Amino acid sequence: MTWLFWLGLAVAIGVIAAVTGVKARGTRPVARTRLMGVARLVLVVMVLLFLYFAWRGFAAR
């Protein structure tokens, strides 16, 4: 897998998370709760991890 793949994956996850702020019918709202804070933290960690993989792949060239 190339560095470009990891960069694209990080961008795709960020875009999907930002655009699809939808929720299933009948669920409780999680905005401004601890659960949403943890979800945002996990998202940031995943994006940073993928960016790191992209940087490592690019540097290895």
Side-chain angles (χ1 to χ4, degrees):
M1 295 187 194
T2 67
W3 68 273
L4 195 55
F5 169 80
W6 290 110
L7 183 62
L9 190 59
V11 169
I13 288 174
V15 167
I16 289 169
V19 172
T20 62
V22 296
K23 60 181 181 134
R25 247 184 265 166
T27 59
R28 293 189 290 173
V30 294
R32 296 185 186 96
T33 63
R34 187 177 270 174
L35 179 62
M36 187 52 118
V38 171
R40 287 182 179 135
L41 178 67
V42 168
L43 176 66
V44 168
V45 168
M46 285 176 49
V47 169
L48 289 175
L49 183 67
F50 290 142
L51 287 174
Y52 172 73
F53 287 152
W55 177 73
R56 291 276 302 196
F58 180 73
R61 287 180 93 200

